[in-house]
Amino acid sequence: MIMDISTLSLTQVSALLQQGEISSLDLTRAVLDRIALIDDQLHAFLYLDTDRALEQAEKIDRERKKGSKIAKPLLGIPLAVKDVLAVKGMPCTCGSKILENYHPPYTATAVRRLQDAGMIIIGKTNTDEFAMGSSTENSAYGITRNPWDATRVPGGSSGGSAAAVAARMVSAALGTDTGGSVRQPASFCGVTGLKPTYGRVSRYGLVAYGSSLDSCGAFGHSARDVQMLFSAMAGHDPLDATSQNVAIHSMDFTKNPDLRGVRIGVPREYFLPGMQKDVESKVRAAIEIFSELGAQVKEVSLPHTEFAVPVYYLVAPAEASANLARYDGIRFGPRLDGENLWDVFTRTRGEKFGDEVTRRIMLGTYALSAGYYDAYYGQAQKVRALIKRDFEEVFKEVDTIACPVAPTTAFKIGVHGDDPLAMYLEDIFTLPANLAGIPGLAFPVGFDQEGLPVGMQLMGKHFDESNLFKLADAYQQVTDWHKRSPELK
Ligand code: GLN
């Protein structure tokens, strides 16, 4: 059977598989065919595990025929995984030459849980080197293009995963979010993406960037899609000391949602004079829909928002400089020869790390060095506490915060090439959730004048992902932005 998967969401393929309308082998073949047809234009994938994926699909179909009655909604569905998550048997480059040909001997917990739920890992997707970036231009293996306009970036750092879902090559993908890397590419590509609460999904097997900020999230076409993935991958993991044992609410998505009694806060600091006008108008229009559905909407203030960029760009590089010290040419990846051990380290690191990673290591090392620690890192930690407190205060008044994901839609490839600071400023609305450890969900709420998707973000209290899913699902029941697809041939 030749199948057109180009319009199917995760929820839909799950239903078709469970009803026996399609087989996992049909689906996996269709996914691989579509990748072969269009990924040359986008370069979302760095690696495909074709043979094993087909083998697994066949095996799952055989077992399904035997008639196991256990409902497994994700059984037999292909999943794309960002190349900073370890999957045994596949390379894990982190978009870096320093991990070229590195094959981790274990699988990340989040991925393993989805494998246990029956998902088939189809391959690894492109990323900014070590997830440092907002455009996927910092990958050592080439850029990924935005499926809505190939002259533009897909966002980053999980740009490969977001583009793969947006281009309907896969219905589900995993990403990571340290400062916006799931939400911002979701917004740029017009898909739904979750950054869970810090500690909700295990970080075991997620190659560390900023350990106090890193999270493993997911992409799909709708809140329901992402919730399916989230509920399978979340939960306590003894292999990650920061993972928490908090029950995951089972979700019952009601038809014709009534949002009476729901309190939504709109932070005034998230609408800046310099931001793109149609981002503001589309996000405000979406907030209006929440009011029409019965929610109480009020303006709130998160006064320390303006410090999120400087705080993040001290804390994240500081943690990165420590985390990346392990890539010295001895234990991982390729090694350049040298006169002595020191020479081996410096030559390997000097040549194999890209410019952005080098910049972050230098910034972080400086911020942590004796004499500067109090002025930079110490100070940043104090202001981080204030940012967190802003949210605690606001969550006394409202249950959820609604705001834009990014100040612009997808920008042109190369525009921020010589200006890292301009690139960092793009992260202004996503960084605070990571600094505070709270969950954030991004989903499409319209298009700008150029036909590029505009995203909105909902942020919630710690461990309150279910509320974000509920609200986004209510919005998606009365709108169809999330069903739109780019035209790709
Ligand atoms: N753009 C941010 C950075 O470059 C966030 C990246 C991320 O979330 N991994 O650090």
Side-chain angles (χ1 to χ4, degrees):
M1 171 178 150
I2 297 175
M3 218 173 92
D4 180 17
I5 50 151
S6 60
T7 55
L8 297 178
S9 69
L10 178 63
T11 317
Q12 288 168 320
V13 291
S14 168
L16 291 173
L17 280 166
Q18 290 184 80
Q19 290 152 10
E21 298 283 327
I22 58 171
S23 72
S24 179
L25 188 60
D26 291 337
L27 177 64
T28 308
R29 280 208 184 113
V31 164
L32 289 165
D33 287 350
R34 187 155 168 88
I35 294 171
L37 188 69
I38 59 177
D39 201 37
D40 278 355
Q41 301 164 49
L42 302 175
H43 190 47
F45 283 89
L46 293 180
Y47 173 78
L48 285 172
D49 205 35
T50 309
D51 293 344
R52 205 163 8 169
L54 291 168
E55 237 168 69
Q56 278 178 33
E58 267 183 336
K59 187 162 163 245
I60 287 168
D61 285 338
R62 274 200 305 275
E63 278 165 18
R64 211 192 273 275
K65 279 217 184 91
K66 282 191 212 147
S68 149
K69 285 277 175 282
I70 315 156
K72 271 189 141 188
L74 294 170
L75 182 64
I77 301 177
L79 174 76
V81 175
K82 181 181 183 181
D83 205 21
V84 297
L85 288 157
V87 183
K88 194 174 175 183
M90 297 187 197
C92 185
T93 67
C94 296
S96 182
K97 289 283 178 208
I98 212 156
L99 284 178
E100 198 168 14
N101 300 322
Y102 170 61
H103 280 68
Y106 63 100
T107 296
T109 299
V111 177
R112 191 183 44 72
R113 288 195 173 167
L114 290 168
Q115 284 175 324
D116 292 347
M119 292 196 94
I120 298 169
I121 314 304
I122 197 100
K124 306 292 292 283
T125 56
N126 203 6
T127 168
D128 286 298
E129 186 173 0
F130 286 101
M132 296 177 192
S134 314
S135 68
T136 317
E137 291 168 295
N138 295 337
S139 168
Y141 300 100
I143 58 170
T144 296
R145 291 172 186 275
N146 190 309
W148 294 90
D149 176 349
T151 67
R152 293 175 188 268
V153 303
S157 60
S158 315
S161 285
V165 174
R168 309 248 176 197
M169 291 191 265
V170 282
S171 57
L174 294 188
T176 62
D177 191 312
T178 303
S181 280
V182 167
R183 290 161 291 156
Q184 186 255 21
S187 173
F188 280 17
C189 290
V191 297
T192 302
L194 173 78
K195 172 233 175 282
T197 307
Y198 184 80
R200 183 60 120 166
V201 176
S202 172
R203 287 179 299 115
Y204 180 73
L206 187 180
V207 175
Y209 161 17
S211 307
S212 76
L213 304 154
D214 290 340
S215 66
C216 178
F219 296 95
H221 283 107
S222 65
R224 292 187 191 203
D225 290 357
V226 175
Q227 193 273 339
M228 262 167 95
L229 298 166
F230 167 75
S231 62
M233 67 201 236
H236 180 249
D237 176 13
L239 298 171
D240 171 2
T242 61
S243 96
Q244 302 285 312
N245 204 353
V246 180
I248 299 152
H249 303 280
S250 66
M251 290 286 304
D252 176 21
F253 290 107
T254 42
K255 262 206 150 150
N256 305 322
D258 179 358
L259 299 186
R260 270 176 300 182
V262 173
R263 300 169 306 165
I264 298 179
V266 180
R268 81 170 69 95
E269 294 80 4
Y270 281 59
F271 294 89
L272 303 170
M275 70 192 277
Q276 201 177 309
K277 283 285 162 278
D278 31 14
V279 170
E280 169 156 5
S281 64
K282 299 296 166 193
V283 171
R284 291 216 187 263
I287 292 170
E288 197 44 48
I289 292 193
F290 284 115
S291 305
E292 282 164 20
L293 291 171
Q296 256 176 51
V297 177
K298 66 186 261 191
E299 190 180 77
V300 294
S301 174
L302 294 161
H304 296 92
T305 302
E306 62 172 306
F307 302 114
V309 173
V311 167
Y312 174 87
Y313 280 98
L314 283 166
V315 173
E319 294 182 5
S321 70
N323 278 327
L324 271 58
R326 71 190 68 160
Y327 307 110
D328 53 12
I330 305 296
R331 280 173 293 171
F332 305 92
R335 176 183 315 157
L336 296 183
D337 285 336
E339 301 272 296
N340 51 41
L341 194 57
W342 185 251
D343 210 29
V344 170
F345 290 163
T346 47
R347 286 197 57 208
T348 305
R349 287 169 68 84
E351 252 182 61
K352 299 292 177 187
F353 280 134
D355 289 350
E356 185 58 30
V357 172
T358 305
R359 183 178 297 121
R360 306 270 180 118
I361 292 173
M362 286 164 72
L363 275 172
T365 306
Y366 184 78
L368 289 175
S369 58
Y372 295 105
Y373 181 95
D374 287 338
Y376 293 111
Y377 185 73
Q379 194 68 8
Q381 290 292 21
K382 287 183 195 155
V383 183
R384 179 178 186 175
L386 296 176
I387 291 172
K388 191 162 176 249
R389 201 151 72 200
D390 281 356
F391 283 107
E392 285 161 7
E393 288 303 317
V394 165
F395 285 134
K396 286 179 187 161
E397 293 173 53
V398 296
D399 316 298
T400 311
I401 291 168
C403 59
V405 181
T408 66
T409 54
F411 46 86
K412 290 266 184 194
I413 290 163
V415 285
H416 294 324
D418 304 326
D419 191 355
L421 207 56
M423 187 81 95
Y424 298 171
L425 288 171
E426 288 278 338
D427 300 336
I428 174 85
F429 303 146
T430 48
L431 304 175
N434 300 77
L435 292 167
I438 58 173
L441 183 71
F443 54 97
V445 294
F447 291 86
D448 72 2
Q449 288 175 347
E450 314 269 342
L452 301 166
V454 175
M456 141 174 249
Q457 170 174 224
L458 294 175
M459 291 187 274
K461 297 174 190 167
H462 290 106
F463 301 102
D464 203 12
E465 288 86 357
S466 57
N467 196 33
L468 308 185
F469 291 132
K470 185 179 128 192
L471 290 179
D473 177 61
Y475 178 84
Q476 290 176 335
Q477 285 190 43
V478 296
T479 57
D480 68 354
W481 304 116
H482 62 294
K483 293 184 183 157
R484 311 278 177 100
S485 303
E487 269 177 46
L488 287 158
K489 293 199 181 67

